[in-house]
mmCIF file with all atom_site columns, all heavy atoms in Angstrom:
data_model
loop_
_atom_site.group_PDB
_atom_site.id
_atom_site.type_symbol
_atom_site.label_atom_id
_atom_site.label_alt_id
_atom_site.label_comp_id
_atom_site.label_asym_id
_atom_site.label_entity_id
_atom_site.label_seq_id
_atom_site.pdbx_PDB_ins_code
_atom_site.Cartn_x
_atom_site.Cartn_y
_atom_site.Cartn_z
_atom_site.occupancy
_atom_site.B_iso_or_equiv
_atom_site.pdbx_formal_charge
_atom_site.auth_seq_id
_atom_site.auth_comp_id
_atom_site.auth_asym_id
_atom_site.auth_atom_id
_atom_site.pdbx_PDB_model_num
ATOM   1   N N   . ARG R 1 28  ? 92.531  105.898 98.678  1.00 98.00 ? 228 ARG R N   1
ATOM   2   C CA  . ARG R 1 28  ? 93.707  106.772 98.525  1.00 98.00 ? 228 ARG R CA  1
ATOM   3   C C   . ARG R 1 28  ? 93.924  107.669 99.745  1.00 98.00 ? 228 ARG R C   1
ATOM   4   O O   . ARG R 1 28  ? 94.370  108.814 99.603  1.00 98.00 ? 228 ARG R O   1
ATOM   5   C CB  . ARG R 1 28  ? 93.576  107.633 97.260  1.00 98.00 ? 228 ARG R CB  1
ATOM   6   C CG  . ARG R 1 28  ? 93.524  106.834 95.967  1.00 98.00 ? 228 ARG R CG  1
ATOM   7   C CD  . ARG R 1 28  ? 94.900  106.278 95.635  1.00 98.00 ? 228 ARG R CD  1
ATOM   8   N NE  . ARG R 1 28  ? 94.954  105.771 94.277  1.00 98.00 ? 228 ARG R NE  1
ATOM   9   C CZ  . ARG R 1 28  ? 95.509  106.420 93.243  1.00 98.00 ? 228 ARG R CZ  1
ATOM   10  N NH1 . ARG R 1 28  ? 96.057  107.582 93.404  1.00 98.00 ? 228 ARG R NH1 1
ATOM   11  N NH2 . ARG R 1 28  ? 95.523  105.878 92.052  1.00 98.00 ? 228 ARG R NH2 1
ATOM   12  N N   . GLN R 1 29  ? 93.601  107.146 100.930 1.00 98.00 ? 229 GLN R N   1
ATOM   13  C CA  . GLN R 1 29  ? 93.685  107.987 102.134 1.00 98.00 ? 229 GLN R CA  1
ATOM   14  C C   . GLN R 1 29  ? 95.104  108.446 102.429 1.00 98.00 ? 229 GLN R C   1
ATOM   15  O O   . GLN R 1 29  ? 95.301  109.484 103.071 1.00 98.00 ? 229 GLN R O   1
ATOM   16  C CB  . GLN R 1 29  ? 93.058  107.286 103.346 1.00 98.00 ? 229 GLN R CB  1
ATOM   17  C CG  . GLN R 1 29  ? 93.708  105.991 103.779 1.00 98.00 ? 229 GLN R CG  1
ATOM   18  C CD  . GLN R 1 29  ? 92.823  105.231 104.810 1.00 98.00 ? 229 GLN R CD  1
ATOM   19  O OE1 . GLN R 1 29  ? 91.606  105.349 104.812 1.00 98.00 ? 229 GLN R OE1 1
ATOM   20  N NE2 . GLN R 1 29  ? 93.453  104.461 105.680 1.00 98.00 ? 229 GLN R NE2 1
ATOM   21  N N   . ALA R 1 30  ? 96.098  107.674 102.011 1.00 98.00 ? 230 ALA R N   1
ATOM   22  C CA  . ALA R 1 30  ? 97.486  108.132 102.102 1.00 98.00 ? 230 ALA R CA  1
ATOM   23  C C   . ALA R 1 30  ? 97.848  108.729 100.745 1.00 98.00 ? 230 ALA R C   1
ATOM   24  O O   . ALA R 1 30  ? 97.795  108.031 99.748  1.00 98.00 ? 230 ALA R O   1
ATOM   25  C CB  . ALA R 1 30  ? 98.402  106.955 102.420 1.00 98.00 ? 230 ALA R CB  1
ATOM   26  N N   . ARG R 1 32  ? 98.819  112.583 98.216  1.00 97.00 ? 232 ARG R N   1
ATOM   27  C CA  . ARG R 1 32  ? 99.369  113.930 98.047  1.00 97.00 ? 232 ARG R CA  1
ATOM   28  C C   . ARG R 1 32  ? 98.570  115.054 98.680  1.00 97.00 ? 232 ARG R C   1
ATOM   29  O O   . ARG R 1 32  ? 99.081  116.171 98.805  1.00 97.00 ? 232 ARG R O   1
ATOM   30  C CB  . ARG R 1 32  ? 99.534  114.219 96.548  1.00 97.00 ? 232 ARG R CB  1
ATOM   31  C CG  . ARG R 1 32  ? 100.764 113.564 95.974  1.00 97.00 ? 232 ARG R CG  1
ATOM   32  C CD  . ARG R 1 32  ? 100.852 113.769 94.472  1.00 97.00 ? 232 ARG R CD  1
ATOM   33  N NE  . ARG R 1 32  ? 99.776  113.037 93.822  1.00 97.00 ? 232 ARG R NE  1
ATOM   34  C CZ  . ARG R 1 32  ? 99.664  112.866 92.515  1.00 97.00 ? 232 ARG R CZ  1
ATOM   35  N NH1 . ARG R 1 32  ? 100.540 113.409 91.700  1.00 97.00 ? 232 ARG R NH1 1
ATOM   36  N NH2 . ARG R 1 32  ? 98.669  112.176 92.008  1.00 97.00 ? 232 ARG R NH2 1
ATOM   37  N N   . TYR R 1 37  ? 102.649 113.502 103.735 1.00 98.00 ? 237 TYR R N   1
ATOM   38  C CA  . TYR R 1 37  ? 102.928 112.517 102.680 1.00 98.00 ? 237 TYR R CA  1
ATOM   39  C C   . TYR R 1 37  ? 103.946 113.088 101.686 1.00 98.00 ? 237 TYR R C   1
ATOM   40  O O   . TYR R 1 37  ? 104.930 112.427 101.332 1.00 98.00 ? 237 TYR R O   1
ATOM   41  C CB  . TYR R 1 37  ? 101.636 112.126 101.934 1.00 98.00 ? 237 TYR R CB  1
ATOM   42  C CG  . TYR R 1 37  ? 101.931 111.335 100.662 1.00 98.00 ? 237 TYR R CG  1
ATOM   43  C CD1 . TYR R 1 37  ? 102.139 109.957 100.713 1.00 98.00 ? 237 TYR R CD1 1
ATOM   44  C CD2 . TYR R 1 37  ? 102.064 111.974 99.423  1.00 98.00 ? 237 TYR R CD2 1
ATOM   45  C CE1 . TYR R 1 37  ? 102.452 109.240 99.565  1.00 98.00 ? 237 TYR R CE1 1
ATOM   46  C CE2 . TYR R 1 37  ? 102.372 111.271 98.273  1.00 98.00 ? 237 TYR R CE2 1
ATOM   47  C CZ  . TYR R 1 37  ? 102.563 109.901 98.350  1.00 98.00 ? 237 TYR R CZ  1
ATOM   48  O OH  . TYR R 1 37  ? 102.885 109.191 97.216  1.00 98.00 ? 237 TYR R OH  1
ATOM   49  N N   . ARG R 1 41  ? 107.509 111.434 100.780 1.00 97.00 ? 241 ARG R N   1
ATOM   50  C CA  . ARG R 1 41  ? 107.831 111.043 99.409  1.00 97.00 ? 241 ARG R CA  1
ATOM   51  C C   . ARG R 1 41  ? 109.101 111.755 98.936  1.00 97.00 ? 241 ARG R C   1
ATOM   52  O O   . ARG R 1 41  ? 109.953 111.151 98.268  1.00 97.00 ? 241 ARG R O   1
ATOM   53  C CB  . ARG R 1 41  ? 106.685 111.340 98.453  1.00 97.00 ? 241 ARG R CB  1
ATOM   54  C CG  . ARG R 1 41  ? 106.916 110.623 97.130  1.00 97.00 ? 241 ARG R CG  1
ATOM   55  C CD  . ARG R 1 41  ? 105.923 110.994 96.065  1.00 97.00 ? 241 ARG R CD  1
ATOM   56  N NE  . ARG R 1 41  ? 106.076 112.387 95.673  1.00 97.00 ? 241 ARG R NE  1
ATOM   57  C CZ  . ARG R 1 41  ? 105.633 112.894 94.554  1.00 97.00 ? 241 ARG R CZ  1
ATOM   58  N NH1 . ARG R 1 41  ? 104.969 112.150 93.714  1.00 97.00 ? 241 ARG R NH1 1
ATOM   59  N NH2 . ARG R 1 41  ? 105.811 114.162 94.266  1.00 97.00 ? 241 ARG R NH2 1
ATOM   60  N N   . PHE R 1 47  ? 108.166 107.968 93.930  1.00 94.00 ? 247 PHE R N   1
ATOM   61  C CA  . PHE R 1 47  ? 107.047 107.147 94.380  1.00 94.00 ? 247 PHE R CA  1
ATOM   62  C C   . PHE R 1 47  ? 107.422 105.673 94.545  1.00 94.00 ? 247 PHE R C   1
ATOM   63  O O   . PHE R 1 47  ? 107.107 105.051 95.555  1.00 94.00 ? 247 PHE R O   1
ATOM   64  C CB  . PHE R 1 47  ? 105.873 107.316 93.406  1.00 94.00 ? 247 PHE R CB  1
ATOM   65  C CG  . PHE R 1 47  ? 104.724 106.398 93.695  1.00 94.00 ? 247 PHE R CG  1
ATOM   66  C CD1 . PHE R 1 47  ? 103.922 106.597 94.817  1.00 94.00 ? 247 PHE R CD1 1
ATOM   67  C CD2 . PHE R 1 47  ? 104.447 105.327 92.865  1.00 94.00 ? 247 PHE R CD2 1
ATOM   68  C CE1 . PHE R 1 47  ? 102.865 105.745 95.087  1.00 94.00 ? 247 PHE R CE1 1
ATOM   69  C CE2 . PHE R 1 47  ? 103.396 104.470 93.136  1.00 94.00 ? 247 PHE R CE2 1
ATOM   70  C CZ  . PHE R 1 47  ? 102.603 104.682 94.251  1.00 94.00 ? 247 PHE R CZ  1
ATOM   71  N N   . ILE R 1 74  ? 95.130  101.083 104.819 1.00 98.00 ? 274 ILE R N   1
ATOM   72  C CA  . ILE R 1 74  ? 95.324  100.356 103.564 1.00 98.00 ? 274 ILE R CA  1
ATOM   73  C C   . ILE R 1 74  ? 96.805  100.401 103.222 1.00 98.00 ? 274 ILE R C   1
ATOM   74  O O   . ILE R 1 74  ? 97.441  101.463 103.327 1.00 98.00 ? 274 ILE R O   1
ATOM   75  C CB  . ILE R 1 74  ? 94.422  100.882 102.416 1.00 98.00 ? 274 ILE R CB  1
ATOM   76  C CG1 . ILE R 1 74  ? 94.721  100.123 101.111 1.00 98.00 ? 274 ILE R CG1 1
ATOM   77  C CG2 . ILE R 1 74  ? 94.527  102.390 102.239 1.00 98.00 ? 274 ILE R CG2 1
ATOM   78  C CD1 . ILE R 1 74  ? 93.640  100.206 100.052 1.00 98.00 ? 274 ILE R CD1 1
ATOM   79  N N   . LEU R 1 75  ? 97.299  99.237  102.880 1.00 98.00 ? 275 LEU R N   1
ATOM   80  C CA  . LEU R 1 75  ? 98.690  99.095  102.459 1.00 98.00 ? 275 LEU R CA  1
ATOM   81  C C   . LEU R 1 75  ? 99.068  100.208 101.502 1.00 98.00 ? 275 LEU R C   1
ATOM   82  O O   . LEU R 1 75  ? 98.329  100.482 100.557 1.00 98.00 ? 275 LEU R O   1
ATOM   83  C CB  . LEU R 1 75  ? 98.822  97.735  101.741 1.00 98.00 ? 275 LEU R CB  1
ATOM   84  C CG  . LEU R 1 75  ? 100.063 97.521  100.867 1.00 98.00 ? 275 LEU R CG  1
ATOM   85  C CD1 . LEU R 1 75  ? 101.298 97.432  101.747 1.00 98.00 ? 275 LEU R CD1 1
ATOM   86  C CD2 . LEU R 1 75  ? 99.886  96.272  100.021 1.00 98.00 ? 275 LEU R CD2 1
ATOM   87  N N   . SER R 1 77  ? 100.971 101.079 98.459  1.00 98.00 ? 277 SER R N   1
ATOM   88  C CA  . SER R 1 77  ? 101.657 100.452 97.331  1.00 98.00 ? 277 SER R CA  1
ATOM   89  C C   . SER R 1 77  ? 100.953 100.922 96.074  1.00 98.00 ? 277 SER R C   1
ATOM   90  O O   . SER R 1 77  ? 100.373 102.008 96.080  1.00 98.00 ? 277 SER R O   1
ATOM   91  C CB  . SER R 1 77  ? 101.602 98.922  97.460  1.00 98.00 ? 277 SER R CB  1
ATOM   92  O OG  . SER R 1 77  ? 102.432 98.332  96.497  1.00 98.00 ? 277 SER R OG  1
ATOM   93  N N   . ASP R 1 78  ? 100.975 100.133 95.015  1.00 98.00 ? 278 ASP R N   1
ATOM   94  C CA  . ASP R 1 78  ? 100.258 100.505 93.797  1.00 98.00 ? 278 ASP R CA  1
ATOM   95  C C   . ASP R 1 78  ? 99.808  99.255  93.073  1.00 98.00 ? 278 ASP R C   1
ATOM   96  O O   . ASP R 1 78  ? 100.407 98.187  93.239  1.00 98.00 ? 278 ASP R O   1
ATOM   97  C CB  . ASP R 1 78  ? 101.150 101.350 92.876  1.00 98.00 ? 278 ASP R CB  1
ATOM   98  C CG  . ASP R 1 78  ? 100.306 102.104 91.862  1.00 98.00 ? 278 ASP R CG  1
ATOM   99  O OD1 . ASP R 1 78  ? 99.717  103.132 92.224  1.00 98.00 ? 278 ASP R OD1 1
ATOM   100 O OD2 . ASP R 1 78  ? 100.195 101.633 90.720  1.00 98.00 ? 278 ASP R OD2 1
ATOM   101 N N   . ILE R 1 79  ? 98.774  99.391  92.236  1.00 98.00 ? 279 ILE R N   1
ATOM   102 C CA  . ILE R 1 79  ? 98.312  98.220  91.474  1.00 98.00 ? 279 ILE R CA  1
ATOM   103 C C   . ILE R 1 79  ? 99.323  97.823  90.388  1.00 98.00 ? 279 ILE R C   1
ATOM   104 O O   . ILE R 1 79  ? 99.281  96.710  89.893  1.00 98.00 ? 279 ILE R O   1
ATOM   105 C CB  . ILE R 1 79  ? 96.921  98.448  90.826  1.00 98.00 ? 279 ILE R CB  1
ATOM   106 C CG1 . ILE R 1 79  ? 96.954  99.583  89.800  1.00 98.00 ? 279 ILE R CG1 1
ATOM   107 C CG2 . ILE R 1 79  ? 95.869  98.746  91.896  1.00 98.00 ? 279 ILE R CG2 1
ATOM   108 C CD1 . ILE R 1 79  ? 95.702  99.622  88.910  1.00 98.00 ? 279 ILE R CD1 1
ATOM   109 N N   . PHE R 1 92  ? 107.321 106.686 86.394  1.00 91.00 ? 292 PHE R N   1
ATOM   110 C CA  . PHE R 1 92  ? 106.340 107.773 86.457  1.00 91.00 ? 292 PHE R CA  1
ATOM   111 C C   . PHE R 1 92  ? 106.933 109.016 85.832  1.00 91.00 ? 292 PHE R C   1
ATOM   112 O O   . PHE R 1 92  ? 108.015 109.454 86.203  1.00 91.00 ? 292 PHE R O   1
ATOM   113 C CB  . PHE R 1 92  ? 105.929 108.046 87.910  1.00 91.00 ? 292 PHE R CB  1
ATOM   114 C CG  . PHE R 1 92  ? 105.015 106.982 88.463  1.00 91.00 ? 292 PHE R CG  1
ATOM   115 C CD1 . PHE R 1 92  ? 105.535 105.819 89.007  1.00 91.00 ? 292 PHE R CD1 1
ATOM   116 C CD2 . PHE R 1 92  ? 103.641 107.141 88.405  1.00 91.00 ? 292 PHE R CD2 1
ATOM   117 C CE1 . PHE R 1 92  ? 104.684 104.836 89.502  1.00 91.00 ? 292 PHE R CE1 1
ATOM   118 C CE2 . PHE R 1 92  ? 102.789 106.162 88.895  1.00 91.00 ? 292 PHE R CE2 1
ATOM   119 C CZ  . PHE R 1 92  ? 103.316 105.004 89.449  1.00 91.00 ? 292 PHE R CZ  1
ATOM   120 N N   . PHE R 1 145 ? 95.611  95.007  98.786  1.00 98.00 ? 345 PHE R N   1
ATOM   121 C CA  . PHE R 1 145 ? 94.885  95.234  97.526  1.00 98.00 ? 345 PHE R CA  1
ATOM   122 C C   . PHE R 1 145 ? 95.710  94.841  96.320  1.00 98.00 ? 345 PHE R C   1
ATOM   123 O O   . PHE R 1 145 ? 96.929  94.646  96.397  1.00 98.00 ? 345 PHE R O   1
ATOM   124 C CB  . PHE R 1 145 ? 94.458  96.702  97.388  1.00 98.00 ? 345 PHE R CB  1
ATOM   125 C CG  . PHE R 1 145 ? 95.606  97.642  97.101  1.00 98.00 ? 345 PHE R CG  1
ATOM   126 C CD1 . PHE R 1 145 ? 95.964  97.943  95.781  1.00 98.00 ? 345 PHE R CD1 1
ATOM   127 C CD2 . PHE R 1 145 ? 96.334  98.229  98.125  1.00 98.00 ? 345 PHE R CD2 1
ATOM   128 C CE1 . PHE R 1 145 ? 97.015  98.816  95.509  1.00 98.00 ? 345 PHE R CE1 1
ATOM   129 C CE2 . PHE R 1 145 ? 97.387  99.098  97.862  1.00 98.00 ? 345 PHE R CE2 1
ATOM   130 C CZ  . PHE R 1 145 ? 97.724  99.393  96.554  1.00 98.00 ? 345 PHE R CZ  1
ATOM   131 N N   . TYR R 1 155 ? 96.878  99.172  81.339  1.00 98.00 ? 355 TYR R N   1
ATOM   132 C CA  . TYR R 1 155 ? 98.181  99.853  81.417  1.00 98.00 ? 355 TYR R CA  1
ATOM   133 C C   . TYR R 1 155 ? 99.270  99.043  80.706  1.00 98.00 ? 355 TYR R C   1
ATOM   134 O O   . TYR R 1 155 ? 100.154 99.606  80.055  1.00 98.00 ? 355 TYR R O   1
ATOM   135 C CB  . TYR R 1 155 ? 98.579  100.096 82.883  1.00 98.00 ? 355 TYR R CB  1
ATOM   136 C CG  . TYR R 1 155 ? 97.689  101.106 83.577  1.00 98.00 ? 355 TYR R CG  1
ATOM   137 C CD1 . TYR R 1 155 ? 96.543  100.698 84.250  1.00 98.00 ? 355 TYR R CD1 1
ATOM   138 C CD2 . TYR R 1 155 ? 97.981  102.464 83.538  1.00 98.00 ? 355 TYR R CD2 1
ATOM   139 C CE1 . TYR R 1 155 ? 95.709  101.621 84.883  1.00 98.00 ? 355 TYR R CE1 1
ATOM   140 C CE2 . TYR R 1 155 ? 97.165  103.394 84.165  1.00 98.00 ? 355 TYR R CE2 1
ATOM   141 C CZ  . TYR R 1 155 ? 96.028  102.969 84.833  1.00 98.00 ? 355 TYR R CZ  1
ATOM   142 O OH  . TYR R 1 155 ? 95.211  103.883 85.438  1.00 98.00 ? 355 TYR R OH  1
ATOM   143 N N   . PHE R 1 208 ? 90.819  96.523  92.839  1.00 98.00 ? 408 PHE R N   1
ATOM   144 C CA  . PHE R 1 208 ? 90.440  97.774  92.176  1.00 98.00 ? 408 PHE R CA  1
ATOM   145 C C   . PHE R 1 208 ? 90.277  97.530  90.676  1.00 98.00 ? 408 PHE R C   1
ATOM   146 O O   . PHE R 1 208 ? 91.249  97.241  89.979  1.00 98.00 ? 408 PHE R O   1
ATOM   147 C CB  . PHE R 1 208 ? 91.535  98.839  92.362  1.00 98.00 ? 408 PHE R CB  1
ATOM   148 C CG  . PHE R 1 208 ? 91.600  99.445  93.736  1.00 98.00 ? 408 PHE R CG  1
ATOM   149 C CD1 . PHE R 1 208 ? 92.356  98.867  94.740  1.00 98.00 ? 408 PHE R CD1 1
ATOM   150 C CD2 . PHE R 1 208 ? 90.913  100.618 94.025  1.00 98.00 ? 408 PHE R CD2 1
ATOM   151 C CE1 . PHE R 1 208 ? 92.430  99.434  96.010  1.00 98.00 ? 408 PHE R CE1 1
ATOM   152 C CE2 . PHE R 1 208 ? 90.977  101.204 95.294  1.00 98.00 ? 408 PHE R CE2 1
ATOM   153 C CZ  . PHE R 1 208 ? 91.734  100.608 96.291  1.00 98.00 ? 408 PHE R CZ  1
ATOM   154 N N   . THR R 1 210 ? 89.269  99.785  88.142  1.00 98.00 ? 410 THR R N   1
ATOM   155 C CA  . THR R 1 210 ? 88.963  101.176 87.830  1.00 98.00 ? 410 THR R CA  1
ATOM   156 C C   . THR R 1 210 ? 88.349  101.353 86.442  1.00 98.00 ? 410 THR R C   1
ATOM   157 O O   . THR R 1 210 ? 87.538  102.240 86.228  1.00 98.00 ? 410 THR R O   1
ATOM   158 C CB  . THR R 1 210 ? 90.256  102.012 87.935  1.00 98.00 ? 410 THR R CB  1
ATOM   159 O OG1 . THR R 1 210 ? 90.876  101.694 89.184  1.00 98.00 ? 410 THR R OG1 1
ATOM   160 C CG2 . THR R 1 210 ? 89.974  103.495 87.867  1.00 98.00 ? 410 THR R CG2 1
ATOM   161 N N   . HIS R 1 328 ? 85.258  107.149 94.868  1.00 98.00 ? 528 HIS R N   1
ATOM   162 C CA  . HIS R 1 328 ? 86.551  106.895 94.218  1.00 98.00 ? 528 HIS R CA  1
ATOM   163 C C   . HIS R 1 328 ? 87.603  107.585 95.073  1.00 98.00 ? 528 HIS R C   1
ATOM   164 O O   . HIS R 1 328 ? 87.278  108.142 96.116  1.00 98.00 ? 528 HIS R O   1
ATOM   165 C CB  . HIS R 1 328 ? 86.542  107.405 92.775  1.00 98.00 ? 528 HIS R CB  1
ATOM   166 C CG  . HIS R 1 328 ? 87.641  106.825 91.930  1.00 98.00 ? 528 HIS R CG  1
ATOM   167 N ND1 . HIS R 1 328 ? 88.183  107.467 90.847  1.00 98.00 ? 528 HIS R ND1 1
ATOM   168 C CD2 . HIS R 1 328 ? 88.321  105.644 92.031  1.00 98.00 ? 528 HIS R CD2 1
ATOM   169 C CE1 . HIS R 1 328 ? 89.129  106.713 90.306  1.00 98.00 ? 528 HIS R CE1 1
ATOM   170 N NE2 . HIS R 1 328 ? 89.233  105.605 91.010  1.00 98.00 ? 528 HIS R NE2 1
HETATM 171 O O1  . LIG A 2 .   ? 94.439  103.991 98.988  1.00 55.25 ? 551 LIG A O1  1
HETATM 172 C C1  . LIG A 2 .   ? 95.620  104.116 99.404  1.00 55.25 ? 551 LIG A C1  1
HETATM 173 O O2  . LIG A 2 .   ? 95.951  104.993 100.229 1.00 55.25 ? 551 LIG A O2  1
HETATM 174 C C2  . LIG A 2 .   ? 96.630  103.062 98.998  1.00 55.25 ? 551 LIG A C2  1
HETATM 175 C C3  . LIG A 2 .   ? 97.523  103.413 97.959  1.00 55.25 ? 551 LIG A C3  1
HETATM 176 C C4  . LIG A 2 .   ? 97.165  103.310 96.487  1.00 55.25 ? 551 LIG A C4  1
HETATM 177 C C5  . LIG A 2 .   ? 97.920  103.992 95.524  1.00 55.25 ? 551 LIG A C5  1
HETATM 178 N N1  . LIG A 2 .   ? 97.507  103.621 94.290  1.00 55.25 ? 551 LIG A N1  1
HETATM 179 C C6  . LIG A 2 .   ? 99.013  104.923 95.827  1.00 55.25 ? 551 LIG A C6  1
HETATM 180 C C7  . LIG A 2 .   ? 99.427  105.877 94.787  1.00 55.25 ? 551 LIG A C7  1
HETATM 181 C C8  . LIG A 2 .   ? 96.214  102.554 95.800  1.00 55.25 ? 551 LIG A C8  1
HETATM 182 C C9  . LIG A 2 .   ? 95.109  101.673 96.343  1.00 55.25 ? 551 LIG A C9  1
HETATM 183 C C10 . LIG A 2 .   ? 96.445  102.748 94.398  1.00 55.25 ? 551 LIG A C10 1
HETATM 184 C C11 . LIG A 2 .   ? 95.680  102.073 93.336  1.00 55.25 ? 551 LIG A C11 1
HETATM 185 C C12 . LIG A 2 .   ? 95.827  102.505 91.927  1.00 55.25 ? 551 LIG A C12 1
HETATM 186 N N2  . LIG A 2 .   ? 96.959  102.870 91.266  1.00 55.25 ? 551 LIG A N2  1
HETATM 187 C C13 . LIG A 2 .   ? 94.778  102.489 90.979  1.00 55.25 ? 551 LIG A C13 1
HETATM 188 C C14 . LIG A 2 .   ? 93.385  102.030 91.227  1.00 55.25 ? 551 LIG A C14 1
HETATM 189 C C15 . LIG A 2 .   ? 92.690  102.854 92.236  1.00 55.25 ? 551 LIG A C15 1
HETATM 190 C C16 . LIG A 2 .   ? 91.719  103.835 91.735  1.00 55.25 ? 551 LIG A C16 1
HETATM 191 O O3  . LIG A 2 .   ? 91.783  104.967 92.254  1.00 55.25 ? 551 LIG A O3  1
HETATM 192 O O4  . LIG A 2 .   ? 90.866  103.488 90.926  1.00 55.25 ? 551 LIG A O4  1
HETATM 193 C C17 . LIG A 2 .   ? 95.304  102.918 89.749  1.00 55.25 ? 551 LIG A C17 1
HETATM 194 C C18 . LIG A 2 .   ? 94.529  103.099 88.452  1.00 55.25 ? 551 LIG A C18 1
HETATM 195 C C19 . LIG A 2 .   ? 96.686  103.144 89.934  1.00 55.25 ? 551 LIG A C19 1
HETATM 196 C C20 . LIG A 2 .   ? 97.691  103.538 88.906  1.00 55.25 ? 551 LIG A C20 1
HETATM 197 C C21 . LIG A 2 .   ? 98.299  104.811 89.300  1.00 55.25 ? 551 LIG A C21 1
HETATM 198 N N3  . LIG A 2 .   ? 99.303  104.921 90.250  1.00 55.25 ? 551 LIG A N3  1
HETATM 199 C C22 . LIG A 2 .   ? 97.950  106.135 88.888  1.00 55.25 ? 551 LIG A C22 1
HETATM 200 C C23 . LIG A 2 .   ? 96.912  106.473 87.845  1.00 55.25 ? 551 LIG A C23 1
HETATM 201 C C24 . LIG A 2 .   ? 98.749  107.021 89.628  1.00 55.25 ? 551 LIG A C24 1
HETATM 202 C C25 . LIG A 2 .   ? 98.695  108.524 89.638  1.00 55.25 ? 551 LIG A C25 1
HETATM 203 C C26 . LIG A 2 .   ? 99.740  109.142 88.808  1.00 55.25 ? 551 LIG A C26 1
HETATM 204 C C27 . LIG A 2 .   ? 99.764  110.651 89.038  1.00 55.25 ? 551 LIG A C27 1
HETATM 205 O O5  . LIG A 2 .   ? 100.810 111.230 88.763  1.00 55.25 ? 551 LIG A O5  1
HETATM 206 O O6  . LIG A 2 .   ? 98.770  111.217 89.489  1.00 55.25 ? 551 LIG A O6  1
HETATM 207 C C28 . LIG A 2 .   ? 99.577  106.247 90.456  1.00 55.25 ? 551 LIG A C28 1
HETATM 208 C C29 . LIG A 2 .   ? 100.575 106.751 91.429  1.00 55.25 ? 551 LIG A C29 1
HETATM 209 C C30 . LIG A 2 .   ? 100.128 106.717 92.841  1.00 55.25 ? 551 LIG A C30 1
HETATM 210 N N4  . LIG A 2 .   ? 99.702  105.594 93.471  1.00 55.25 ? 551 LIG A N4  1
HETATM 211 C C31 . LIG A 2 .   ? 100.139 107.794 93.765  1.00 55.25 ? 551 LIG A C31 1
HETATM 212 C C32 . LIG A 2 .   ? 99.718  107.270 94.996  1.00 55.25 ? 551 LIG A C32 1
HETATM 213 C C33 . LIG A 2 .   ? 99.625  107.999 96.307  1.00 55.25 ? 551 LIG A C33 1
HETATM 214 C C34 . LIG A 2 .   ? 100.615 109.210 93.483  1.00 55.25 ? 551 LIG A C34 1
HETATM 215 C C35 . LIG A 2 .   ? 102.077 109.156 93.393  1.00 55.25 ? 551 LIG A C35 1
HETATM 216 C C36 . LIG A 2 .   ? 102.742 110.407 93.861  1.00 55.25 ? 551 LIG A C36 1
HETATM 217 O O7  . LIG A 2 .   ? 102.944 111.283 93.021  1.00 55.25 ? 551 LIG A O7  1
HETATM 218 O O8  . LIG A 2 .   ? 103.073 110.476 95.054  1.00 55.25 ? 551 LIG A O8  1
#
Side-chain angles (χ1 to χ4, degrees):
R228 297 287 193 102
Q229 62 192 29
R232 281 176 292 189
Y237 168 84
R241 194 187 66 160
F247 174 71
I274 177 161
L275 163 69
S277 189
D278 198 79
I279 63 167
F292 286 85
F345 72 91
Y355 292 90
F408 286 88
T410 311
H528 198 207

